[in-house]
Amino acid sequence: MRKHRLRLVAAVAAVLAAAGAGTASPAQAHDRPSTLADLAERHGRYFGSATDNPELTDTAYTAVLGSEFDMITPGNGMKWYATEPEPGVFDWSAGDEIADLARRNRQRLRAHTLVWHNQLPSWLTDREWTADELRAVLKRHILTEVRHYRGKVYSWDVVNEAFNEDGTYRETIWYKTLGPGYIADALRWAHQADPHAKLYLNDYNIEAVGPKSDAYYRLAQDLRAQGVPLHGIGLQAHLALQYGYPATLEDNLRRFSRLGLDTALTEVDVRMLLPADAEKLAEQAHWYRDLTAACLAVRRCVGITVWDWTDKYSWIPAFFPGEGAALPWDEEFRPKPAYAAMRQALGEG
């Protein structure tokens, strides 16, 4: 293992030295004979990236986004604050821009997200609701948004981050007012609005088998037994080198598959304590390779999405000061060792 690690560190150092010499430009990365999406397609998988509206004016960025990936996810443009900023007043401009981009690039769209406790408009959070009132608001929002994008999306993250780390329900506006049944209701309404979209529950820190992923497993069992239209579980896979790799990921994916559910790695990034160095980048590459291999090993793991593809537009530094370098391309759009490692896992050549 140590010899393997030393060889990997040496290889990474060589890659970084070449990149510093200017030998790994965005154009050269682009000139490869196959993309991540091409390689994933050979296995019946997709390979996607999140994106967000402000960066779409960066033409060098959109060139890679439009060619390397076959699935894109709007990072913010379909969340509640953006789509229903006033009660019953809907604004589709941000979401439509990304949906139109996907259509032009012949990419599919993972729509994100209908029901979450964050990024809600103040009109929703600044007052008390009765259960009947809030249920009507939630139903209207889901039906209206899903109908607007009907036929344009591959899947919806219907409910996002419903559980605490210990497997208890998160005390959100939805849970406190409506009880746990809001999840089944949301799935039913989304299915009513677009019967062809795949419907997911999505969360972080559920990659490994543990209390939080166990809670999703039990919920999924219950929902399936009730005939609720749940099609998949999204494992966000926001990982950090300092906390260790989720070694039971593949086992976890398999048990959800045995329930008849698809799984997907939906928001992948692997952050580190800065500054980055050759050893950290080698370890990160190893994790990206293992994540990719785990998905390929489980038939119903349908694809992987990185949470944007370049460190230039990563959310990590703003939320985790002193951490970053989490994505497969650096801030100059040069591919990092993680990119080559994913290609290796996908069977390049």
Side-chain angles (χ1 to χ4, degrees), residues 13-322:
V15 169
L16 293 176
T23 60
S25 69
Q28 287 171 315
H30 217 160
D31 288 340
R32 291 180 180 274
S34 56
T35 65
L36 290 173
D38 294 332
L39 294 171
E41 187 178 7
R42 298 176 188 174
H43 301 274
R45 310 301 201 276
Y46 65 78
F47 211 107
S49 175
T51 191
D52 208 356
N53 300 81
E55 58 224 47
L56 298 184
T57 59
D58 184 338
T59 55
Y61 165 86
T62 56
V64 178
L65 178 70
S67 62
E68 190 77 38
F69 307 100
D70 58 354
M71 183 83 73
I72 56 176
T73 301
N76 290 292
M78 292 186 181
K79 291 174 179 173
W80 200 312
Y81 82 99
T83 56
E84 194 180 357
E86 300 294 337
V89 178
F90 291 87
D91 181 354
W92 309 118
S93 56
D96 283 356
E97 183 179 23
I98 293 174
D100 291 344
L101 178 68
R103 178 184 51 79
R104 291 195 303 272
N105 290 333
R106 298 182 181 179
Q107 296 164 311
R108 290 182 293 172
L109 190 67
R110 289 197 82 258
H112 175 84
T113 176
L114 293 171
V115 188
W116 194 28
H117 60 279
N118 278 332
Q119 293 180 264
L120 296 173
S122 59
W123 67 263
L124 191 55
T125 58
D126 287 352
R127 57 158 287 183
E128 295 293 323
W129 300 90
T130 68
D132 287 345
E133 289 171 337
L134 190 61
R135 191 171 188 273
V137 166
L138 182 60
K139 181 177 182 179
R140 178 189 67 197
H141 181 83
I142 292 173
L143 290 176
T144 304
E145 182 164 8
V146 177
R147 282 171 179 160
H148 178 79
Y149 290 107
R150 180 171 176 160
K152 298 179 181 180
V153 304
Y154 164 78
S155 66
W156 277 100
D157 289 333
V158 178
V159 178
N160 197 46
E161 300 174 5
F163 287 103
N164 296 312
E165 297 303 303
D166 63 359
T168 59
Y169 280 97
R170 189 187 289 270
E171 292 281 332
T172 68
I173 182 177
W174 315 113
Y175 180 78
K176 289 188 292 186
T177 308
L178 302 175
Y182 81 90
I183 296 174
D185 285 339
L187 290 162
R188 291 187 182 104
W189 294 328
H191 184 68
Q192 176 185 340
D194 186 353
H196 298 294
K198 300 283 189 180
L199 305 181
Y200 278 70
L201 305 178
N202 190 57
D203 213 326
Y204 64 93
N205 285 352
I206 62 169
E207 296 76 32
V209 174
K212 195 174 186 181
S213 61
D214 287 348
Y216 276 99
Y217 186 80
R218 290 190 297 269
L219 175 61
Q221 283 181 308
D222 292 344
L223 293 172
R224 298 283 288 178
Q226 297 171 44
V228 176
L230 173 65
H231 306 117
I233 301 293
L235 297 81
Q236 292 181 12
H238 291 298
L239 304 181
L241 294 182
Q242 61 269 30
Y243 299 130
Y245 183 80
T248 53
L249 171 61
E250 186 177 324
D251 292 337
N252 202 26
L253 294 172
R254 288 190 188 282
R255 67 170 176 164
F256 284 110
S257 294
R258 287 194 291 268
L259 294 180
L261 294 171
D262 290 345
T263 55
L265 306 181
T266 57
E267 305 184 19
V268 178
D269 47 32
V270 180
R271 66 187 188 270
M272 63 186 69
L273 297 174
L274 298 174
D277 58 30
E279 185 171 6
K280 291 175 187 175
L281 291 172
E283 184 72 7
Q284 180 189 60
H286 186 77
W287 285 30
Y288 269 102
R289 184 177 67 240
D290 286 354
L291 286 168
T292 304
C295 184
L296 294 181
V298 179
R299 183 178 61 84
R300 295 200 66 161
C301 182
V302 296
I304 298 168
T305 296
V306 290
W307 204 240
D308 226 322
W309 57 269
T310 167
D311 291 334
K312 181 176 181 178
Y313 296 118
S314 174
W315 69 290
I316 295 293
F319 286 83
F320 297 95

